Amino acid sequence: MRIAMVSEHASPLAALGGVDAGGQNVYVARLSEELARRGHDVTVYTRRDAADLPDRAPLPGGAVVEHVPAGPCEVLPKDDLFPHMPAFGAYLSRAWGRERPDVAHAHFWMSGMAAQLGAAAYGVPVVQTFHALGTVKRRHQGPDDTSPGERVGIERQIGRTCERVLATCGDEVQELAAMGVPVGRVSVVPCGVDAQQFRPLADTADAPARGQRHRLLACGRLVPRKGYDQAIRALALIPDTELLIAGGPPPDQLDTEPEAARLRRLAEAEGVADRVRLLGAVDPRRMPALMNSSDLVLCTPVYEPFGIVPLEAMACGTPVVATDVGGHKDSVADGHTGRLVPPGETAAIADAVRELLGHEARLRRYGEAGRERVLARFTWQRVADGVEQVYRRIALGQELRTEVA
């Protein structure tokens, strides 16, 4: 099949850890690579944000990234890209007029807008993965939500008119239904993890050295919604334990990062500054060793559309304590691979951590179960199986029902 991936701000070539570079970039990259390895012709369309980028660049497995001129050739916050989507869509229309894809898969709402503009003249079926929904962001961020005001209305329109919505978790299906998107138009295919890269390791020399203390790890983009403040407050209730926070700018730039400064002030106020280490951006190749060096991985956001970090930790055989939100509900098996706790409840986080740190056999059992769960349900091969099935049935014009891959 000829597959067009549309990911307007999340390039599969981007360095991870920035404000707008995270799980969506990983999803697009790994899904595209896996589909290309299966013999599909995959092109990823993403916005050109630097003048020196090549027109086309290869990905492992045979997929290609095509840089689309839409707006200035510079990095812009994703919420500022909305005015440039008509130009993005016009580019897709010209490209698809020359060579029509069998299916277009749009990632994020603005990509869906551009993909529908590009597909209109040629009848290209559009599959939509939102990765995050404006209704959820508005609910949790309120006046701090910087999304364009048109976002929710456009998401609703895309959900009702695209060929298929691919949700990443059951919680998203409920959110879509509340928006008025018929659940019969939705399939659930989760995110995935590279279980060969993220695996149990005996050698953790690539991780920071640790002493006798227990080690907790939190990682991801260094933004307030990730809930690192909750992890720091919980640490004040957990003795003989250190917390490492991985993500954000390179270590030598952390002093200029507002969120890093806020977290450091909080650690001082909570009396745990000597037990909190902000690592900044960590080379992805070192992340498996870092997770293996940790007793537990904490994932404590107030909301999380899916969240790949719990899967990475589980693939490494490291148990997870996560807030009971979004995709965490599907990925973490409470009482089996880790613990789910109510969002925003510091005491509950601390209680769960203390309980697990006090039972070494249970920690080991949870870690082994997490690895098994990932291999059974969350490899990129399993994700590609589900996505590929949806593509093929759409291309053949077969009716789809609400389903979970």
Side-chain angles (χ1 to χ4, degrees), residues 180-252:
V181 176
V183 295
R185 303 181 59 82
V186 183
S187 295
V188 179
V189 180
C191 294
V193 65
D194 184 341
Q196 292 183 318
Q197 178 189 7
F198 290 90
R199 66 187 192 279
L201 298 173
D203 181 5
T204 58
D206 279 345
R210 58 176 287 182
Q212 298 302 310
R213 289 172 171 165
H214 290 295
R215 171 173 289 180
L216 308 178
L217 172 66
C219 49
R221 290 181 293 140
L222 202 63
V223 293
R225 80 166 182 86
K226 291 296 183 180
Y228 301 123
D229 52 351
Q230 296 298 314
I232 290 172
R233 291 188 176 97
L235 186 68
L237 305 174
I238 307 168
D240 301 320
T241 303
E242 66 176 359
L243 170 65
L244 274 56
I245 299 175
D252 61 355

Side-chain angles (χ1 to χ4, degrees), residues 297-321:
V297 169
L298 300 187
C299 303
T300 55
V302 292
Y303 73 98
E304 184 62 76
F306 185 81
I308 287 179
V309 170
L311 297 184
E312 294 174 340
M314 289 158 53
C316 289
T318 304
V320 178
V321 172

Side-chain angles (χ1 to χ4, degrees), residues 90-388:
Y91 180 95
L92 294 178
S93 182
R94 292 191 297 271
W96 296 348
R98 294 188 297 269
E99 191 171 43
R100 180 188 182 277
D102 296 303
V103 63
H105 188 168
H107 300 271
F108 202 57
W109 68 280
M110 282 185 281
S111 293
M113 177 184 171
Q116 290 201 339
L117 290 170
Y122 311 106
V124 178
V126 176
V127 174
Q128 176 71 39
T129 298
F130 286 107
H131 293 279
L133 289 169
T135 51
V136 179
K137 186 176 182 183
R138 182 178 296 174
R139 183 186 312 141
H140 289 283
Q141 295 194 3
D144 295 329
D145 179 8
T146 57
S147 298
E150 297 90 341
R151 176 175 178 173
V152 172
I154 291 174
E155 286 180 336
R156 183 179 293 111
Q157 181 268 331
I158 291 171
R160 291 172 172 174
T161 58
C162 70
E163 196 70 26
R164 196 74 179 166
V165 178
L166 278 183
T168 56
C169 65
D171 192 65
E172 185 181 349
V173 178
Q174 297 177 25
E175 291 288 345
L176 288 164
M179 291 167 56
V181 176
V183 295
R185 303 181 59 82
V186 183
S187 295
V188 179
V189 180
C191 294
V193 65
D194 184 341
Q196 292 183 318
Q197 178 189 7
F198 290 90
R199 66 187 192 279
L201 298 173
D203 181 5
T204 58
D206 279 345
R210 58 176 287 182
Q212 298 302 310
R213 289 172 171 165
H214 290 295
R215 171 173 289 180
L216 308 178
L217 172 66
C219 49
R221 290 181 293 140
L222 202 63
V223 293
R225 80 166 182 86
K226 291 296 183 180
Y228 301 123
D229 52 351
Q230 296 298 314
I232 290 172
R233 291 188 176 97
L235 186 68
L237 305 174
I238 307 168
D240 301 320
T241 303
E242 66 176 359
L243 170 65
L244 274 56
I245 299 175
D252 61 355
Q253 298 177 26
L254 277 174
D255 288 343
T256 63
E257 170 57 50
E259 181 64 3
R262 183 179 78 92
L263 294 175
R264 284 171 170 161
R265 290 194 300 270
L266 177 62
E268 288 280 358
E270 293 289 337
V272 295
D274 62 325
R275 296 194 283 133
V276 175
R277 280 194 279 173
L278 272 63
L279 304 179
V282 173
D283 188 320
R285 294 170 296 184
R286 295 177 54 213
M287 284 304 301
L290 184 56
M291 288 182 166
N292 272 272
S293 78
S294 304
D295 297 294
L296 285 168
V297 169
L298 300 187
C299 303
T300 55
V302 292
Y303 73 98
E304 184 62 76
F306 185 81
I308 287 179
V309 170
L311 297 184
E312 294 174 340
M314 289 158 53
C316 289
T318 304
V320 178
V321 172
T323 44
D324 190 14
V325 297
H328 292 173
K329 298 172 181 284
D330 289 8
S331 56
V332 180
D334 188 36
H336 186 61
T337 68
R339 291 296 312 278
L340 291 173
V341 297
E345 294 193 14
T346 302
I349 297 168
D351 288 346
V353 170
R354 288 196 307 267
E355 176 192 350
L356 290 177
L357 293 181
H359 293 83
E360 190 170 326
R362 187 178 301 167
L363 269 181
R364 185 169 58 252
R365 200 163 60 244
Y366 281 12
E368 292 168 353
R371 174 75 180 173
E372 291 172 1
R373 184 172 175 82
V374 163
L375 293 177
R377 300 181 58 178
F378 296 108
T379 64
W380 285 114
Q381 292 75 25
R382 287 298 303 273
V383 174
D385 287 345
V387 173
E388 189 178 43

Side-chain angles (χ1 to χ4, degrees), residues 6-28:
V6 184
S7 182
E8 97 293 340
H9 76 274
S11 169
L13 300 173
L16 301 181
V19 172
D20 290 330
Q24 183 178 327
N25 304 70
V26 174
Y27 182 101
V28 172

